[in-house]
Structure formats: C-alpha cells, structure tokens
C-alpha cells in the first residue's frame, strides 16, 4: 500500500510569531520545523504500510526557500521520499491555492492508495485543505480520524464528532485527516537520521506542476489583509504565592462573585 | 449599505437548530437585505420555523443523506443553488460538518475561504472578516475580493443570538446530486459519550485541568471541584492528546469555546491553542506552579502553587460549606 502524507514545515511554535509589516503574512524566513500535527499522519502512514506488508510512504510539502528541515525529520522517521514545492510565486497563498499545489504535487508521485493530512496546521489553522485536496483529486474523504484501519480496499475510521465519535467506512483511494494523538509519533533513530540525508527530495516549482502562477500566491488568494490591530488586552489581576492558604483566596474570590 | 443576500449554513441536533446557527442568522440580518438558510437533512420541516424566527426567509433543504458524510454531496447541492440564487456571502459555523462542506464548496465554485472568524463587517459591498491570532493578542481583518459569494466560517459565541426579522422559514427542497465515488464515505454507527452536569460550552462555571496534574488518575480532582461548583469539567489539548479524557472535554482553538462567569485553569500553562478558547471568560482563576506561566497574564486571580496541594484543600473547603 502506498501512502502520501501532506506535511507542513512551520516556524517553531515555541518562538512567538510575528507578522511581516507590509505583507501581513506570518514571518517564515527562519528555520522551519515539521508541524507536530503532521507527525501523527507520518506515524500513522508508517504503521499502515507496515501492517499492509509492503508499500511506501511519500511526503508532499509546500514551503518557502526550498526549506527541507521538517521534511528531513519525517524522512528520518521512515518516509521514503518527498516532493517539495517551493517558488516565490507562492507567497501569500491561501488554503485553496495551497490545496491546488498539493493536489498537483500528489499527482507527481503517482496514484497512492491513501492520502493522510492533519486536521489543520498549527500556524495557519484554516482547516479546509484536506477537503479541498480531496475535491480537487475527485476522491472521497474522512476528516477528524482518531483511529484508522485499512482492510483490503476499504479504510475504517473512528471519526471525532461533537458528541463522541462515528464509525465510518470508505473505499480507497481516499483522503483521511487525522487528529493529534491518534498515534504516538516515533522519535527518529540515529540510523534513520543518517539515512534521511540521502533520501530523494524532488524540488519543483509552480511551472513544473503545470499550474498558472496567477492561480496561486497573492494573485490566487483573492483576499487582502486590510487591518491589523492589537486586541483589548486582558489585565492580570492578583497573583499570589501559595503559602498553604491559597485555596482560601479562591473561596473568597468565588464568594465575591456570589457563585458560592 | 447592505448585501443583497446572505446565506447561513444551518445545522441542527435532535431537530433543533444549534445555537451557533442562530448566532449566525442574527448577524446575517444586520448584513443582508435577504437572509436565507441552507440545511442538510430530512428534518428541515422541524427546524425551519425556528430558523424563520431568527430571520431566514427561505430554508433550502436537501433530502436525507442516507448515512453519507455531508461534504461532497451537500457542497454539490449548494453549488447548484448558488449558481441560481447568487448569495453575496455564505456564513458557516466552525464545526466538523460545516468545515467539510465549505472546503468542498470552495473548490466547486473556485472561491477562497476565511475561517476562524470572530467578526464580519462591510466596506461598501466588500465583505471583511476579523480573526484573532497569536492567542488573541492581534486582530487581523481580511477583505474578500474578486466577486461573490464570500465563504466565511465563524467561531462559536462570536455573536449573540436574538430572535427577530420577518423570516417565513419557507422550506425549498433541493436535490442531492449523485457525486459518485467522491461520496463513498458512509457512517456505520454513531457513539455518544455520555456526560452528566451542565454542558461544557453552556456551563456558568468551568473547571479545567492540564498537564500539571501529573497523571490521568488525578483528573478526578477537577471533576470533584466542577461538581461542587455545579460547573462542567474541561481540559487542555495536552491531556486530551495524552488520552486522559475524551476530546469532548477539550477547551481551545480545536475544542470548545467557553465564556463562563468563572473559569478555573488548574495545571494549565496557557498555550495559545488553549487561551483562544477561554479568554472570553468573565473571571479567570489560575493555579500553576510556574509563576512565569502565560495563563497568569490573563488571570484575575492567580495562585502560584502546586495543584496537588491546592486542589484537595479547595475540595475540603467547598465540601465544608455543604
């Protein structure tokens, strides 16, 4: 079974983000890392290929400046190869443009049995790319999967809902978006890290994908940031060290609000 | 200046419109000359009168989905109706189903989407949506360009729901197109996780626990305090991912948005992901052993201390009050 995982390389979320003052896009010029949300999809893909007894896990990613750091992490986990789309024309791309790029990049890999994504990225979190990719490829999809099994040409999913979960079945090929926590992502081994350095990364441009530059980036987004403002800041109140009586402070606070 | 026509993607549970749907309809009345709803499911006749009382003149309704996930077929039905009705704006809620439908629809009609919005305004006929980023510190307003309809999804509780308008809620049946293999995903069974006490997103008091509790076995402290305060227990994403509690407990960007009178955060450091789901609470109490934890920057009362010591004493004190 061949699985493609869509992965995003993002600025380290531990470092406070900032916006480019003129373009109003998230600054992404530094080192990028594998979005933790995508590590679940990578792990899931590796497990499913193992269980199927053969096949390959491939990655597709879109990133500025031919950034490969995050891809190398996923290759070190065990993915076989990657397609990286990097092109200055992609700056300002919205979720629909991103999906158009990813769908074309998946096409370069061939005809995978399964395409895995996260439910949303950590930095942009629009949350529509999985469905947009599926629609562009003419594939069925199951979103918000918290458990995934493949039996023959069918994928069985426990799909998160507001009230609990649904058992969903879908024919392959299909797109499945997985929630965080669906599996425990492995740490790359030293051997894996060394092997990843020599794994193939197919670096392509928008033109290589046969996409018109006007359908992506700023031109394709058909939206414009018109204002950036500071939100009303919430003021910190009283902060006290617990001296063994901290709970009484809480009781007094709740009494003051007349909720107890 | 208003838009000629605004649509709301309406959702229901147990044949009642969700509160998020009613919030969107209320806002839609401010924006559009005509407000209409699109509803997927066979029980439209039951929900339509309420949608009407919140302003929907018409309710476009599909037939039963027969167990299919709604995305592909509902988006196809909407795209067909959009071609003839030309709404200027389609408002969605940030729910699982709506996000799926919206993603599919955006490809079908080749229009961009804006999600996670907390407000919408008009500049002439241009639709502008506002999103809170960086944990809610920064508000970014984005304008759609290049023709309608604008597709926008809103977070729960962005608007207050109020009845009004002269909607008739007239049901107009629309066909569910055959989408072939694209619609292959089928629901075989539904599982509902039972919970007692008030619902997390409706409770007046919410008590949430995070990684600082140390282990899953300590979560009962959170449940006990929630029960004593007649509130609902919640959780950070960290302990939901770790499998301590079900996803339905999660407060945050990818979980529930809560705005209770009192929010108690115990052993939660205050990741951006969590804060956007609770910073609208009227009063916030935080207990955390790290005095640098970001949660303290938005707390009305912060206790720098060990939750393993503070919580049991708090339980005793609350029990003593009867």
């Amino acid at each position: 079974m061949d699985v493609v995982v869509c992965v995003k390389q993002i600025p380290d979320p531990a470092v406070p983000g900032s916006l480019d003052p003129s373009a109003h896009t998230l600054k992404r010029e530094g080192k990028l890392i594998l979005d933790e949300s995508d590590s679940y999809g990578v792990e899931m893909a590796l497990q499913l290929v193992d269980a199927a007894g053969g096949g390959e896990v491939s990655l597709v990613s879109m990133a500025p400046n031919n950034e490969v750091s995050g891809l190398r992490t996923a290759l070190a986990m065990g993915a076989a190869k990657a397609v990286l789309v990097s092109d200055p024309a992609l700056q300002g791309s919205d979720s629909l443009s991103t999906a158009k790029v990813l769908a074309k990049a998946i096409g370069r890999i061939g005809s995978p049995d399964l395409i895995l994504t996260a439910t949303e990225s950590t930095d942009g979190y629009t949350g529509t790319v999985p469905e947009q990719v599926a629609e562009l490829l003419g594939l069925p999809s199951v979103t918000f999967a918290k458990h995934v099994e493949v039996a023959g040409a069918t994928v069985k999913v426990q799909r998160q809902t507001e009230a609990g979960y649904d058992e969903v079945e879908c024919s392959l090929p299909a797109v499945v978006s997985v929630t965080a926590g669906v599996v425990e992502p492995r740490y790359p081994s030293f051997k894996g890290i060394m092997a990843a350095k020599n794994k193939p990364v197919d670096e392509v441009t928008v033109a290589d994908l046969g996409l018109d530059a006007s359908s992506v980036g700023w031109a394709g987004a058909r939206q414009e940031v018109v204002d950036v403002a500071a939100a009303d800041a919430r003021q910190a109140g009283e902060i006290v060290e617990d001296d063994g009586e901290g709970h009484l402070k809480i009781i007094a606070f709740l009494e003051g609000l007349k909720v107890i | 200046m208003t838009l000629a026509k605004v649509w709301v993607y309406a959702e229901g549970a147990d044949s009642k419109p969700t509160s998020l749907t009613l919030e969107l309809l209320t806002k839609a009345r401010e924006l559009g000359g005509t407000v209409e709803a699109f509803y997927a499911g066979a029980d439209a006749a039951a929900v339509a009168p309420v949608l009407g009382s919140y302003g929907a003149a018409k309710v476009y309704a599909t037939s039963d989905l027969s167990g299919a996930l709604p995305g592909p077929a509902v988006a196809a039905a909407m795209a067909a109706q959009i071609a003839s009705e030309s709404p200027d704006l389609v408002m969605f809620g940030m729910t699982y189903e709506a996000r799926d439908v919206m993603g599919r629809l955006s490809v079908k009609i080749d229009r961009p989407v804006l999600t996670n919005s907390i407000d919408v305004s008009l500049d002439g006929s241009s639709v502008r949506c506002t999103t809170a980023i960086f944990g809610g510190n920064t508000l970014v307003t984005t304008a759609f360009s290049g023709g309608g309809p604008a597709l926008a999804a809103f977070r729960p509780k962005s608007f207050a729901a109020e009845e009004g308008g002269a909607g008739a809620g007239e049901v107009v049946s629309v066909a569910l197109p055959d989408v072939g293999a694209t619609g292959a995903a089928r629901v075989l069974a539904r599982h509902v996780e039972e919970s007692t006490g008030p619902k997390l997103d409706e409770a007046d008091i919410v008590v949430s626990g995070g990684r600082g509790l140390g282990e899953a076995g300590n979560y009962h402290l959170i449940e006990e305090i929630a029960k004593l305060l007649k509130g609902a227990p919640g959780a950070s994403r960290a302990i939901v991912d770790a499998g301590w509690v079900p996803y339905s407990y999660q407060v945050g960007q990818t979980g529930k948005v809560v705005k209770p009178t009192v929010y108690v955060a115990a052993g939660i450091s205050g990741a951006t992901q969590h804060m956007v789901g609770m910073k609208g609470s009227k009063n916030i109490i935080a207990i955390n052993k790290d005095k640098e934890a970001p949660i303290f920057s938005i707390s009305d009362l912060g206790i720098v201390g060990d939750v393993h010591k503070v919580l049991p004493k708090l339980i005793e004190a609350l029990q003593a009050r009867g």
Side-chain angles (χ1 to χ4, degrees):
Chain A
M1 186 174 69
D2 291 328
V3 184
V4 170
V5 189
C6 299
V7 298
K8 189 168 184 184
Q9 305 176 84
I10 62 167
D12 188 342
V15 179
S18 60
L19 294 179
D20 181 294
S22 59
H24 303 308
T25 50
L26 200 60
K27 281 194 181 174
R28 290 193 169 95
E29 67 263 26
K31 182 178 183 289
L32 302 179
I33 62 171
L34 178 68
D35 189 339
E36 194 199 342
S37 305
D38 292 322
S39 63
Y40 301 98
V42 174
E43 178 63 39
M44 173 60 70
L46 293 169
Q47 290 186 14
L48 290 173
V49 166
D50 263 357
E56 203 167 62
V57 176
S58 307
L59 311 167
V60 299
S61 189
M62 173 178 132
N65 308 321
N66 294 81
E67 177 64 48
V68 292
S69 313
L71 282 177
R72 292 288 173 207
T73 303
L75 292 168
M77 287 172 72
K81 60 181 195 283
V83 175
L84 171 65
V85 189
S86 197
D87 194 319
L90 291 170
Q91 205 206 347
S93 289
D94 70 332
S95 68
L96 181 54
S97 309
T98 304
K100 287 174 182 174
V101 168
L102 294 176
K104 288 283 187 189
I106 292 164
R108 264 180 101 81
I109 289 179
S111 306
D113 301 293
L114 179 65
I115 296 157
L116 293 180
T117 70
T119 58
E120 59 187 27
S121 65
T122 303
D123 61 342
Y125 54 90
T126 306
T128 54
V129 168
E131 282 297 278
Q132 288 168 324
V133 167
E135 184 69 21
L136 286 160
L137 294 173
L139 293 177
S141 56
V142 185
T143 48
F144 304 100
K146 62 170 198 162
H147 182 82
V148 183
E149 265 175 52
V150 171
T154 304
V155 60
K156 294 181 176 188
V157 170
Q158 286 182 5
R159 179 179 188 261
Q160 196 77 65
T161 63
E162 310 287 340
Y165 68 93
D166 288 350
E167 286 174 42
V168 180
E169 204 171 85
C170 184
S171 56
L172 295 176
V175 176
V176 173
S177 76
V178 300
T179 61
V182 64
V183 282
E184 188 66 42
R186 69 193 68 183
Y187 286 104
S189 65
F190 180 70
K191 204 177 140 202
I193 293 167
M194 295 312 287
K197 294 184 190 206
N198 297 315
K199 288 181 176 174
V201 176
D202 178 19
E203 295 187 23
V204 298
T205 62
V206 170
D208 293 335
L209 294 177
L211 278 172
D212 189 340
S214 70
S215 69
V216 297
W218 291 116
R222 292 164 293 174
Q223 54 191 262
E224 185 193 0
V225 174
V226 290
D227 190 45
V228 177
D232 289 341
R234 223 191 139 102
Q235 298 299 316
E238 188 190 5
I239 311 293
V240 294
E241 294 271 350
D242 177 36
D243 52 1
E245 305 288 309
H247 61 290
L248 297 179
K249 283 269 183 195
I250 297 173
I251 295 282
F253 187 83
L254 295 172
E255 279 176 340
L257 295 171
K258 300 197 187 331
V259 294
I260 55 172
Chain B
M1 180 89 191
T2 54
L3 300 171
K5 194 182 281 182
V6 177
W7 273 17
V8 169
Y9 180 74
E11 294 181 81
D14 304 325
S15 293
K16 282 185 199 144
T18 61
S19 46
L20 177 51
T21 299
L22 303 180
E23 291 159 21
L24 297 182
L25 283 169
T26 305
K27 187 66 183 179
R29 296 203 306 265
E30 233 178 76
L31 302 169
T34 302
V35 175
E36 296 175 345
F38 196 102
Y39 184 80
D43 56 350
V47 296
V50 185
L51 299 178
S53 69
Y54 281 79
K58 283 181 187 169
V59 179
Y60 299 99
T62 71
S63 53
D64 187 54
L65 294 166
S66 320
L69 288 183
V74 174
M78 282 185 95
Q81 213 61 28
I82 284 169
S84 59
E85 299 299 326
S86 309
D88 301 291
L89 166 66
V90 186
M91 300 172 79
F92 295 84
M94 283 301 288
T95 67
Y96 298 126
E97 309 297 356
R99 266 209 271 186
D100 282 5
V101 171
M102 185 186 199
R104 294 268 178 184
L105 178 61
S106 83
V107 172
K108 287 203 173 294
I109 63 173
D110 193 30
R111 293 295 307 152
V113 301
L114 289 173
T115 66
N116 287 299
S117 304
I118 56 168
D119 202 2
V120 54
S121 60
L122 300 176
D123 178 37
S125 60
S126 155
V127 177
R128 300 176 158 205
C129 290
T130 299
T131 311
I133 64 167
F134 300 147
N137 291 334
T138 305
L139 301 175
V140 176
T141 301
T142 307
F144 285 95
S145 59
L151 307 179
F154 297 85
R155 297 177 61 79
K157 300 189 173 70
S158 295
F159 314 110
E162 281 169 38
E163 279 189 78
E170 177 206 344
V171 176
V172 180
S173 297
V174 299
L176 271 178
D178 179 6
V179 290
T182 314
R186 286 277 175 288
V187 178
L188 303 181
R190 295 186 190 278
H191 297 263
V192 175
E193 281 154 4
E194 295 297 334
S195 61
T196 54
K199 285 172 71 176
L200 179 55
D201 48 358
E202 292 169 6
D204 204 34
I205 298 183
V206 173
V207 184
S208 288
R211 188 74 86 174
L213 289 170
E215 55 182 278
N218 289 332
Y219 189 77
H220 73 94
L221 296 169
I222 299 297
E223 290 175 308
E224 277 176 53
I225 295 169
K227 197 172 171 193
L228 285 162
L229 294 174
K230 298 182 180 64
S236 70
R237 175 170 163 178
I239 71 168
V240 172
D241 285 357
W244 295 6
V245 292
Y247 176 79
S248 54
Y249 285 56
Q250 186 171 320
V251 173
Q253 179 183 297
T254 41
K256 301 276 193 311
V257 177
V258 301
K259 291 187 175 180
T261 304
V262 181
Y263 188 86
V264 182
I268 292 176
S269 62
T272 295
Q273 136 77 32
H274 187 73
M275 302 236 268
V276 296
M278 46 66 78
K279 67 180 288 184
S281 305
K282 287 189 195 72
N283 298 280
I284 297 171
I285 303 173
I287 309 154
N288 202 295
K289 64 174 191 274
D290 174 13
K291 68 178 193 307
E292 304 295 332
I295 191 82
F296 286 130
S297 70
I298 62 162
S299 298
D300 300 285
L301 173 64
I303 306 291
V304 182
D306 185 349
V307 288
H308 304 100
K309 290 181 182 154
V310 178
L311 297 184
K313 284 187 196 164
L314 181 59
I315 289 169
E316 261 180 50
L318 287 169
Q319 281 169 340
R321 298 172 62 90

